[in-house]
Amino acid sequence: MKDLTAIVTGAGGGIGNAIAVALAKEGVNVVLFGGRNVEKLEKTAKEVESYGVNSLIVSGELTNDDFLSDGINKVIERFGGVDILINNAGVAQNASVEQTTAEEFDKIMAINVRVPYLLTKKVLPYLKQSKRASVINIASVVSHAGYPNQSAYTASKHALLGFTKSLASEVYQDGIRVHAISPGGVFTDMVKISRPDLTADGMIVPTDISDIVMFLLKNRGNAVIDEIIVHRLNKQPFLV
């Protein structure tokens, strides 16, 4: 995997950070796509570069089409191509259907569905030029089930999983592998805010997800893995 180039969205957060660092350990150059919290992205960049690879921070409004296009242009100018795309950025919400506003629904769908859809579309021409192209979408256990007060988030993750399945069928003949990882509760900053009652005991941690990502990227045999569902140790329902 040495000298490949990967794009990771939401690279400043727990799962995104863990994935970026895991890629760097394998000699992969990492593009850190994220929002306007440049401080978090810079922290990840320092960790990535400590492994002797190059990084590029692309910070801005992910839901802006021009930002995505400009970001891809910067990536191609710097690295010449893209081999791996990790669609990890996402937002969650704890609210009933009645409590969820149209603006909140639109924001969740935009970040969790529209951004990975359009970013993948813009990156595909470059992935088709790679001999080790992969797209990994970080979905959720709620891609398969519905929990109370999670209707908007659940709708977005169902949509992301459906997109993953269709994309995999479309680009398989181009040698592009497409996977979805559906974690249960991962102990990240987002979870700490939305579920302050939870602790790390028995929960999935970001490096558990990055380990699975690396397994998928390293193992490109004839046995294709479409999707991995990751449960907590006690397999109890988790609402984010």
Side-chain angles (χ1 to χ4, degrees):
M1 294 178 63
K2 185 175 173 59
D3 296 327
L4 297 182
T5 297
I7 293 174
V8 181
T9 67
I15 295 176
N17 172 276
I19 292 172
V21 172
L23 288 165
K25 289 179 180 179
E26 296 296 328
V28 179
N29 298 314
V30 185
V31 180
L32 310 172
F33 258 78
R36 300 188 183 280
N37 194 331
V38 180
E39 186 176 337
K40 282 188 173 183
L41 295 173
E42 289 177 342
K43 181 181 177 182
T44 300
K46 287 182 179 179
E47 292 182 71
V48 164
E49 291 176 357
S50 70
Y51 293 97
V53 301
N54 296 310
S55 70
L56 174 66
I57 293 176
V58 182
S59 174
E61 182 51 62
L62 288 173
T63 57
N64 183 289
D65 291 357
D66 291 337
F67 166 74
L68 293 181
S69 297
D70 291 343
I72 296 302
N73 289 338
K74 291 177 182 177
V75 174
I76 301 307
E77 182 180 343
R78 175 75 178 277
F79 296 111
V82 180
D83 304 284
I84 299 163
L85 173 61
I86 311 292
N87 286 309
N88 165 72
V91 293
Q93 180 190 24
N94 279 310
S96 68
V97 174
E98 292 176 304
Q99 294 170 331
T100 302
T101 67
E103 291 78 13
E104 290 168 336
F105 179 85
D106 289 344
K107 178 182 177 181
I108 290 172
M109 296 300 290
I111 295 176
N112 293 0
V113 185
R114 192 174 186 274
V115 169
Y117 189 98
L118 294 182
L119 183 58
T120 302
K121 177 182 177 179
K122 294 175 186 294
V123 173
L124 272 179
Y126 304 104
L127 291 175
K128 289 180 178 180
Q129 298 173 22
S130 171
K131 294 182 180 180
R132 291 186 63 88
S134 293
V135 177
I136 298 179
N137 293 328
I138 306 300
S140 168
V141 68
V142 302
S143 298
H144 311 267
Y147 299 133
N149 299 321
Q150 291 286 304
S151 57
Y153 181 61
T154 299
S156 72
K157 290 300 185 177
H158 270 69
L160 181 62
L161 182 59
F163 163 56
T164 305
K165 292 177 178 179
S166 291
L167 178 67
S169 298
E170 286 187 21
V171 301
Y172 180 76
Q173 296 301 324
D174 296 307
I176 302 173
R177 299 295 175 85
V178 182
H179 310 283
I181 300 176
S182 296
V186 182
F187 198 64
T188 62
D189 288 342
M190 182 174 72
V191 167
K192 293 174 188 177
I193 293 171
S194 59
R195 290 292 303 276
D197 56 305
L198 296 175
T199 67
D201 295 339
M203 290 188 66
I204 302 164
V205 295
T207 52
D208 291 330
I209 306 304
S210 63
D211 287 346
I212 296 170
V213 168
M214 298 314 299
F215 174 84
L216 292 172
L217 295 175
K218 288 181 179 181
N219 294 276
R220 291 176 55 89
N222 292 327
V224 179
I225 301 169
D226 297 319
E227 178 187 0
I228 294 178
I229 302 175
V230 189
H231 292 286
R232 298 200 292 164
L233 285 175
N234 57 15
K235 296 188 179 181
Q236 292 299 310
F238 182 71
L239 304 185
V240 171

